[in-house]
Amino acid sequence: QVQLVESGGGLVQAGGSLRLSCGAAGRTFSRYTMGWFRQAPGKEREFVAAISHTGGREAYADSVKGRFTMSRTDANNTSYLQMNSLKPEDTAVYYCAARTGNILYSDYREYNYWGQGTQVTVSS
């Protein structure tokens, strides 16, 4: 099992940047493919980004490509989501997720472990 804790959310103006962190407690963090999802009020949880357990492959939602970058540091058991050029429509609760295996699923139902979420609010 792995326990996930997100941090780094907050309030930022449009065009600004934030970096979210996802700390993992538990064994063998390096075995997990990591993902970021977000959920705005009244909307379904949607895929943002994923990174393979080796860190060699990444995937992004079209809405964030070129603006967001996901990375991981296995030595620190942490994955990151660098968010630049933020827009008001990026406002949501952002969740970190993990699953075993090396497939970069965009379906949240494929992920076994979840953090509690961190709020990101982008003002116009």
Side-chain angles (χ1 to χ4, degrees):
Q1 277 197 339
V2 61
Q3 293 81 43
L4 305 174
V5 178
E6 303 95 336
S7 61
L11 173 64
V12 64
Q13 288 190 332
S17 297
L18 283 174
R19 187 175 82 155
L20 304 183
S21 298
C22 174
R27 297 178 292 178
T28 61
F29 173 74
S30 60
R31 289 186 181 179
Y32 293 92
T33 286
M34 303 299 296
W36 284 96
F37 291 78
R38 66 188 181 186
Q39 189 165 18
K43 294 189 176 181
E44 281 201 0
R45 190 166 296 191
E46 66 172 357
F47 172 74
V48 176
I51 190 166
S52 64
H53 72 88
T54 62
R57 291 182 297 119
E58 300 160 35
Y60 297 92
D62 288 344
S63 59
V64 306
K65 276 180 184 175
R67 300 188 297 124
F68 291 10
T69 303
M70 187 172 182
S71 60
R72 63 188 296 157
T73 303
D74 288 354
N76 295 337
N77 281 10
T78 304
S79 65
Y80 305 94
L81 184 69
Q82 177 66 43
M83 305 186 296
N84 298 328
S85 302
L86 282 161
K87 304 174 181 180
E89 50 264 43
D90 294 318
T91 295
V93 177
Y94 282 71
Y95 296 91
C96 175
R99 69 179 309 279
T100 55
N102 205 31
I103 299 176
L104 304 184
Y105 286 106
S106 60
D107 186 340
Y108 70 89
R109 292 167 292 188
E110 295 290 343
Y111 290 76
N112 310 105
Y113 306 103
W114 291 87
Q116 82 289 351
T118 185
Q119 177 70 47
V120 171
T121 303
V122 184
S123 63
S124 57

